[in-house]
Every structure is written in structure tokens, then in C-alpha cells.
Amino acid sequence: CFEPSTRSSRVGIGVFHPFTCYLRMVLFHLDGNSEDVVNRVVCICLLGVGSVGVFGFALESVVVARRTCRNELTEGAGRQSAFPVRPLTPSLWVFALLIASYALLLPGLTAVLFSLNIVVDFGIIKLGVGPGGGIDKLPALTESMLGLVRLLRSTGCQLGASAVIVYAIVIPALKLLLLVASQCISNQRVIAICVHVVQSISKWACPDMFAYILLLYLVRALNHPVMLQSLMQLDVGFTYFTVFCVASTLASLGIHSPNAVSSSGIWSHVSGKLGIERVAVLVSLLAISFAVLFCIGMTVPVMLLRLSLERLYKPRGPLPENMFGIPLRPVIENLHLPDKANSDVSLLNAICMLFSWARSGEANSMVAFGMIVVFVVMLTVADVVVLLIIVWRLRLQKSTGGIARAAVALRKLSMLDVLIAGVIVVTACTSIYHEDGIFVSWGSGLYALLCAELLHYIAYYLVIGAVPLYESATPPEMGMLLQTSSDGEVDQAVGKGTISE
């Protein structure tokens, strides 16, 4: 018997049966595509979508240059330009990237998303854990996105099925509908609202992708040959859908509207009541608290996987209480198998292992590594840092320039909130496997990350609410002087250097 590689798509295990004295081949395998096929699909998707975006940008540069040249010629001749600029029309690179990303949506819904297999090895017999498993029955659990929805509905998990439908189908369809509507209607306010909604909901198409990344670590961490063996692979469906989510989110941020919708709302009133000094101190405290909670959430487990061996015994499971007159339960407990049937994952551990698997040649692990490191960690931390810079520049009565727009873009790209939602949804969906002895739940690290993200939200809206109030506001000294002094006194104060011109 040889140990299965975590990267193998099909592994044969030869088992010598001492009671019947013959060699049997029990096939311990993963369904779906081989690793080579998955790697090729990852390379094609990344290079293809990236090339389409670059080609669209290059083509747009050529078109803009030609239109500019023609406009200059027509204006020099005293005629009206035949090529007026349409600022609401998406750029060519945006249009090309949207087409390329939505071309991957249907394969992302129908192709194999993941495949996993867990086997308990008692030497004499092999026991498959999961749906359809049993003595010498080792079927792999393989699902696509639509297949998972059908399974959830058939097993009565309507909440989980509804959540997957909303994230994977409704949100992408709504994004496409709003983008089309923004180009077909003429009401500027409605167009601005459509663009704002698309940019805000775009990242929410992929919360369950993060949970599958963490589930990959959990299943592989269960592998303790030869007593407990486990395999899992993220398949091409994961690649298609992840590339769709990232590409469509980036493309949506490239759509600009001259009548931008303000998201400050009531927060401008709150920031105005507090004053910029209190807002700066409060945002600083929120950022420090965020840093502490974020570090805790990175190191403490956020997802837990447990195998209930009690459900393996009859009448629920296939194992008898006694085999050949020997009680099985004490034997299994003496082998410490229940202790091995537990697996926890923190974000830090997941990042380290994903990097290791990516170095060993798994392209999907590289994609998963980038999703967590870039979109969950780096962009979230960068947004908090940018918010601190903005609020203290406002406090010092300096212009924020384009930093406020950068904070808005980072907020729409950072995906810590998406990861949290994905963990909650997938743990709810895996309740359908409780009867098979597989339990997935969230850990205490998720609470720390949730609290950190709530602080991030509060800091973001406080700062965004303060920007329109204090960005170009008259300094308090100037305001008081203008209310109580004449123009001559103001000029005199400027001449003395009491206030700046």
C-alpha cells in the first residue's frame, strides 16, 4: 500500500487481505479533470483574459488618437466634429474584459468545481466516508456549482441553495442587466445609480470560492496515512468562476459616470457633528483595533472540519460493533483515530500551504493564494491605511487629491467581507453531509475577522462622510473672521500673516 499524493487525480491502493489470501485493488481516486488539464485551463484563462484586456486598451488608445487628430483637423477648418466624445460609453478595455469574463460564467457554473475523497483504512477493510461510501466503497464527492444547488435543494437545505443561487447566478445576471440598462437609457441620475450598484455588488459573486479554498486545506490536513487518507482538488469550475469574478469586478471599476452617486449619506451628518478632530482620533482608534483583531483572525482557525466516527457504526454506518469476535470501538480508539479526524485552518496556515502547493506545480493553488493574499489581506489593509492618510490630511487642512477615490476603489476590491460571508454560507451548505459524518463549522477566528471588518466599515464611512465637509472647507479661523470683521480687516490680517491668503 502506498501513500496517495495530494496532487493525484487517481490513485490505486493494493490491499492484501489476510483472511482470504488474495490481493485486491481498491481504487481510491478523485473524479473530474487531471492536474495537467486543470493547469492548462488556468494558464489559458489567465493569459486569455489578460490579453483581451490589453488588446482592448491598445485598440482604445489608437481609436482615441485618431479621433483626436480628426477633431483637431475639423475644428481647424471651422466645422463641427464628426466624432463627439461620449463619456458614459465604457472604454474598449472595459468592454473587452466584460465580454471575456462573462464568456467564463457558464463554464464556471457547469464544470466540475471540486472533488474530494476521505477514506478510513483499517487494514482489513477500507471505509469510504461521505455520500455513497461504505466498506470497500470509496466514491469521490464531486460537485459543480449547479450540481451543488440541485443537491442542496433535494436534501432540503433551501437556505444554502438560495444563497448559492444569489451569489453565483442572480448577482452576475443583475450586473449584466444594469450595465446594459446604463447604456440604453438617457437619464443621467439613473445611469449613475446603475453604475454605482454594479461596482458595489460586483465582488459579491464569489464568496463561496474563498470557503472552498479553506476547505481544500481542511481536507488535505486530514491526510494521516495509512489510517486516514484524504484527497481534494479544486477543478476547472473553480478557475472559470474565480477569473470571471475578478475580471468582471476590475472591469466594473473602469466604468465612470460624471454624476457619481455619493455613499456618505447620514455619515456626513455624523462626521459633521463630531468634527474633524474627533473623527481623526476615532478613525485612528478604529484602525488600531482593526489591526489587533485582524492579526488575531489571521492566526486563529476560521474553519473547522470534524469527522464523526460514531456515525460509522451500525445502525447508522456500515461498521459492525464486533468483527471476528473483536470489538472494533476500543481498537479504533487505541489507534487515536478520532484525534486524527479533526482539522482546523487559519488564514495564515492556508496562505503558507497554498504557496507550497503552488510551488509544487498546482496552478489553482496559485490562483487561490493570490485571491487570499491580494484581495483579502493586502487590499483590505491598504484601504485602512489610505483611510488614515485621508482623515489626517483633512485634519491638517490639506487636500486629499485623488486619495479619496483610491479609498473607494479599494473598498470595492477588498474582499475580507466576502470571505466571511463565504465561510458562513458554505458551512451552512455542508449540513447536508452531517448524516455521513462530515461536519464543517466556523472557528473563533471568524468572529475576530468579522469584528475587524465591522470596524473597517465604520472607519470607511466616517472618512467618506467627512471628505465632502472638510475637503475644501474654509478654515475655522477664516470663517470666524469673515463673520465678525470687515473686508479691510481681513486684508490687514492677511498682510500681517495672521491668516493665509
Side-chain angles (χ1 to χ4, degrees):
C1 178
F2 58 91
E3 295 183 10
S5 167
T6 58
R7 298 188 291 115
S8 299
S9 61
R10 186 167 290 271
V11 179
I13 300 179
V15 183
F16 178 71
H17 199 301
F19 297 99
T20 55
C21 297
Y22 68 90
L23 189 67
R24 296 185 300 169
M25 181 64 70
V26 181
L27 200 59
F28 176 37
H29 67 283
L30 292 178
D31 293 330
N33 298 281
S34 66
E35 182 184 330
D36 292 336
V37 172
V38 174
N39 288 348
R40 285 197 295 269
V41 169
V42 172
C43 294
I44 292 173
C45 288
L46 294 180
L47 292 176
V49 173
S51 300
V52 167
V54 172
F55 175 77
F57 182 79
L59 183 61
E60 180 185 8
S61 301
V62 173
V63 171
V64 170
R66 293 185 63 182
R67 286 191 175 186
T68 303
C69 182
R70 291 185 182 183
N71 289 345
E72 291 176 352
L73 292 175
T74 54
E75 289 174 0
R79 300 192 305 270
Q80 186 177 2
S81 174
F83 301 94
V85 179
R86 293 185 62 194
L88 293 180
T89 301
S91 302
L92 288 179
W93 72 267
V94 173
F95 187 69
L97 203 57
L98 283 173
I99 292 178
S101 61
Y102 271 88
L104 299 176
L105 177 57
L106 185 58
L109 294 174
T110 57
V112 176
L113 184 62
F114 66 85
S115 182
L116 65 88
N117 204 341
I118 303 174
V119 174
V120 180
D121 186 357
F122 296 105
I124 301 175
I125 58 174
K126 304 285 183 183
L127 180 63
V129 179
I135 297 177
D136 290 344
K137 296 179 181 179
L138 317 177
L141 175 59
T142 305
E143 299 291 353
S144 65
M145 191 75 73
L146 294 181
L148 181 62
V149 171
R150 288 192 294 266
L151 179 62
L152 290 170
R153 296 188 64 180
S154 64
T155 53
C157 187
Q158 299 296 332
L159 180 61
S162 301
V164 175
I165 289 174
V166 169
Y167 288 136
I169 300 176
V170 174
I171 289 181
L174 181 61
K175 285 164 51 179
L176 186 60
L177 179 63
L178 291 176
L179 287 173
V180 173
S182 66
Q183 302 304 306
C184 297
I185 58 181
S186 57
N187 189 303
Q188 302 295 313
R189 179 65 177 173
V190 175
I191 292 175
I193 293 175
C194 290
V195 173
H196 177 73
V197 172
V198 168
Q199 293 177 344
S200 299
I201 68 173
S202 188
K203 67 178 182 179
W204 286 99
C206 59
D208 45 349
M209 296 295 105
F210 290 104
Y212 296 137
I213 294 172
L214 299 180
L215 186 61
L216 174 71
Y217 177 94
L218 289 174
V219 173
R220 291 185 175 183
L222 282 178
N223 194 43
H224 298 287
V226 290
M227 286 297 300
L228 184 61
Q229 302 172 35
S230 58
L231 296 174
M232 183 172 177
Q233 175 178 267
L234 297 175
D235 217 296
V236 296
F238 172 84
T239 307
Y240 293 138
F241 204 84
T242 301
V243 175
F244 157 76
C245 292
V246 173
S248 61
T249 301
L250 292 175
S252 68
L253 293 181
I255 304 174
H256 301 288
S257 172
N259 299 322
V261 178
S262 175
S263 59
S264 55
I266 193 175
W267 291 98
S268 291
H269 179 72
V270 174
S271 299
K273 288 289 186 181
L274 291 175
I276 189 59
E277 292 187 0
R278 291 191 181 93
V279 169
V281 173
L282 180 57
V283 170
S284 300
L285 294 176
L286 290 172
I288 295 173
S289 303
F290 166 85
V292 173
L293 291 170
F294 187 75
C295 291
I296 294 174
M298 287 288 294
T299 55
V300 177
V302 294
M303 276 185 75
L304 314 174
L305 176 61
R306 300 290 183 264
L307 298 183
S308 176
L309 299 182
E310 291 293 329
R311 296 177 181 269
L312 300 180
Y313 299 103
K314 290 185 177 180
R316 289 186 175 181
L319 285 181
E321 289 288 341
N322 299 282
M323 181 172 288
F324 306 108
I326 302 175
L328 283 181
R329 193 183 297 268
V331 173
I332 293 175
E333 292 177 354
N334 289 334
L335 293 173
H336 303 288
L337 188 57
D339 297 332
K340 297 178 181 179
N342 298 327
S343 178
D344 305 337
V345 58
S346 66
L347 288 184
L348 186 60
N349 289 338
I351 289 172
C352 294
M353 290 307 302
L354 287 170
F355 180 74
S356 175
W357 295 330
R359 290 185 59 188
S360 65
E362 285 191 14
N364 258 343
S365 293
M366 178 189 67
V367 174
F369 175 82
M371 289 290 291
I372 293 182
V373 171
V374 176
F375 291 95
V376 174
V377 179
M378 295 179 62
L379 293 182
T380 303
V381 173
D383 192 31
V384 175
V385 173
V386 169
L387 292 175
L388 276 175
I389 294 174
I390 293 173
V391 75
W392 280 105
R393 288 187 69 87
L394 293 175
R395 171 64 182 84
L396 299 174
Q397 299 176 0
K398 295 181 179 180
S399 175
T400 61
I403 306 178
R405 290 191 295 272
V408 174
L410 288 172
R411 183 73 200 92
K412 294 174 180 178
L413 284 174
S414 60
M415 297 188 181
L416 178 58
D417 48 359
V418 179
L419 179 142
I420 294 170
V423 171
I424 295 174
V425 169
V426 170
T427 51
C429 293
T430 53
S431 62
I432 61 177
Y433 302 121
H434 288 178
E435 290 297 324
D436 300 298
I438 301 176
F439 294 84
V440 179
S441 59
W442 59 72
S444 56
L446 191 70
Y447 297 107
L449 292 177
L450 178 60
C451 293
E453 185 65 2
L454 289 176
L455 297 182
H456 179 199
Y457 266 70
I458 296 173
Y460 171 81
Y461 285 109
L462 280 174
V463 173
I464 296 301
V467 168
L469 296 177
Y470 302 104
E471 171 66 46
S472 302
T474 303
E477 295 84 356
M478 174 69 84
M480 294 175 59
L481 191 58
L482 289 177
Q483 291 177 7
T484 59
S485 305
S486 64
D487 292 341
E489 291 172 331
V490 171
D491 293 337
Q492 184 180 4
V494 172
K496 293 179 179 180
T498 307
I499 58 176
S500 64
E501 185 174 1

